[in-house]
Amino acid sequence: MHKFDYLIPETLDEAISLYAGHGERAKYIAGGTDVIVKVKERKINPQYLISLRHIKGLNHISYNDGELRIGALTTHRDLELSPLIRKDFPIILDAVSNIGSVQVRNVATIGGNIVNAVPSADGAIPLITLGAEIRIRGPKGERSMALEDFFIGPGQTLLEPGEVVLEFIIPEYPAKTGAAYVKHTRRAAMELPLLGVAVLISLEDDMKTCRDARIGMGVLAPTPIRAKNAEKILRGNPMDELFLREAGSVAAEECKARDSIRGKAWYRRDMVEVLVRRMALKAIERADKNNV
Amino acid sequence: MKKIAFELNGNKMEMEVVPSWTLLELLRDHMELRGSKSGCEVGECGACTVIINNKAVNACLFPVMEINGMSITTIEGVAKPTGELHPIQQAFIDKGGVQCGFCTPGMIMSSKALLDENSNPDEEDIRHALSGNFCRCTGYTQIVEAVETAGESLRHGQVFERKSQ
């Protein structure tokens, strides 16, 4: 493998200033399961890897006043094993428990997954569906934005050189909200999804009418997207077969499925229709227990 | 070259390393610990699985500088220095979970990481824990049975204490 120096800053400011000093010859590394692979495949050629692993304050899963905050350096495995996530945010468990393998999840971070920004990112789709905000710090200071707006293309985000993701903030949802995610694969493990579908539904007190719906889709466009037309079908309507099927069919139309090495567009569109309905039903079931 | 200090199979080590080495490179090419295998080199096959601070990881993607201050167990550190096999290793043999043996070190390490954390895994737990380890020979059934058997041995009071060399 191409040689590089490996730097271990202790604070975020130190990391940012090291990056500023080395510029294009440097790359941040968190878990390394994407970066080291890219170096081995000669896709990137950094002379310096700046490790983010030892920076304090970026590795947390905390829930205060209804707001869930996940530090960018949290590993997928920590999310998978977190009792809080398992109980109150099972949609996140749906996503992370199938990323890579145990070995990968033990080191790979949610921040790294988002920044790597593959269209299939299992980490991104549920977070977008939950309306997450992403907080970033860089040489010019701190900023935040809706995670949904962060992705601009396959592997491309609005992250500027030198910037580091700090955390993801998931807002509070009203009672009677449930959410679920499915990663549709050919194999049981160690695979990128053919498509990913996340559905969040908030019900009115009657437990039948949809107050709010959010649908996230992965691998069905160059970036993770929301099926906003399908969401409109659900909002304000009773959650019966008629509207669930309609939502599925509208989501299938609005996605931009393509043929790829893993599957064909027609199959993906067919599956969007099925999975939107299936995940909506699961979300409704969870809304009963108030689990997003 | 940079200096690092870590614990390996119960022994304290201090070494000078090239910062761009992976842990797998350090083990195989510079410490002659060739039990951990080089399979895919991209974290997909699990043949290089080792345990760092009680977590199974792929050594092929683990930057060597990050082992500083950590406690590492490799396949070489599973049996006792006397040669007495760990119950997991014995179970793999007894249940026919080894054919060519290439995946075996990684399988044992993933199994050990699982059983150290959960001494009573069911089949789904075992398959989930081993989903990052490929085997081309066995079809996995005997491997799963081996882990179940090992779990039983460990639960029924068979304590396996391994002192460092």
Side-chain angles (χ1 to χ4, degrees), chain A residues 8-181:
Chain A
I8 304 185
E10 305 203 348
T11 67
L12 193 50
D13 287 333
E14 202 187 321
I16 293 173
S17 117
L18 278 171
Y19 193 102
H22 294 301
E24 274 187 18
R25 294 173 300 167
K27 192 128 177 61
Y28 289 126
I29 179 172
T33 54
D34 283 324
V35 172
I36 299 285
V37 172
K38 286 182 181 168
V39 174
K40 285 187 180 190
E41 292 177 347
R42 293 175 202 230
K43 290 186 178 151
I44 57 175
N45 237 351
Q47 281 182 261
Y48 300 92
L49 285 184
I50 300 170
S51 171
L52 299 173
R53 276 196 221 206
H54 304 262
I55 295 172
K56 293 191 174 45
L58 297 182
N59 187 347
H60 54 268
I61 303 170
S62 64
Y63 188 44
N64 288 314
D65 300 322
E67 205 176 66
L68 175 68
R69 287 173 175 257
I70 301 175
L73 262 303
T74 308
T75 63
H76 295 96
R77 186 69 173 159
D78 281 346
L79 285 167
E80 186 182 358
L81 298 177
S82 154
L84 168 67
I85 299 288
R86 287 177 161 230
K87 178 169 162 289
D88 293 326
F89 296 92
I91 186 179
I92 294 178
L93 179 66
D94 293 341
V96 300
S97 56
N98 247 328
I99 290 177
S101 61
V102 169
Q103 293 94 316
V104 168
R105 296 197 289 281
N106 269 329
V107 296
T109 64
I110 185 76
N113 187 271
I114 298 298
V115 162
N116 200 43
V118 289
S120 53
D122 294 306
I125 289 92
L127 289 179
I128 284 174
T129 308
L130 290 171
E133 191 182 290
I134 180 173
R135 257 183 75 223
I136 298 166
R137 196 191 300 172
K140 294 188 206 149
E142 242 178 68
R143 59 190 184 123
S144 321
M145 68 181 83
L147 182 61
E148 196 177 318
D149 300 329
F150 183 65
F151 302 100
I152 54 181
Q156 296 169 306
T157 66
L158 291 175
L159 200 69
E160 306 227 335
E163 284 188 318
V164 173
V165 178
L166 297 176
E167 63 180 352
F168 303 98
I169 304 168
I170 289 106
E172 182 164 22
Y173 276 94
K176 303 186 182 47
T177 299
Y181 172 73

Side-chain angles (χ1 to χ4, degrees), chain B residues 31-108:
Chain B
M31 295 182 76
E32 300 210 355
L33 292 171
R34 302 213 169 104
S36 310
K37 305 301 181 199
S38 171
C40 69
E41 288 284 343
V42 287
E44 293 189 11
C45 74
C48 65
T49 305
V50 298
I51 294 175
I52 300 185
N53 286 13
N54 301 318
K55 298 181 183 164
V57 301
N58 292 317
C60 68
L61 296 181
F62 208 88
V64 77
M65 296 304 298
E66 293 290 354
I67 70 175
N68 195 36
M70 304 246 170
S71 172
I72 301 172
T73 308
T74 67
I75 187 65
E76 290 88 353
V78 175
K80 289 190 182 173
T82 55
E84 184 186 333
L85 295 180
H86 190 287
I88 296 175
Q89 292 169 308
Q90 192 59 52
F92 266 69
I93 295 170
D94 295 341
K95 289 292 176 179
V98 184
Q99 286 186 28
C100 80
F102 195 83
C103 76
T104 309
M107 285 288 183
I108 303 245

Side-chain angles (χ1 to χ4, degrees), chain A residues 213-215 217 226-235 243-244 246-252 254 272 276:
Chain A
R214 294 172 67 94
I215 301 175
M217 305 200 289
R226 295 245 313 274
K228 294 193 171 164
N229 295 338
E231 290 171 6
K232 287 198 192 112
I233 303 287
L234 294 176
R235 253 179 232 124
F243 291 101
L244 293 177
E246 176 74 14
S249 132
V250 170
E254 75 181 299
V272 169
V276 163

Side-chain angles (χ1 to χ4, degrees), chain A residues 3-7 46-50, chain B residues 2 19-20:
Chain A
K3 289 207 188 322
F4 48 78
D5 196 3
Y6 194 91
L7 309 174
Q47 281 182 261
Y48 300 92
L49 285 184
I50 300 170
Chain B
K2 286 187 170 173
S20 54

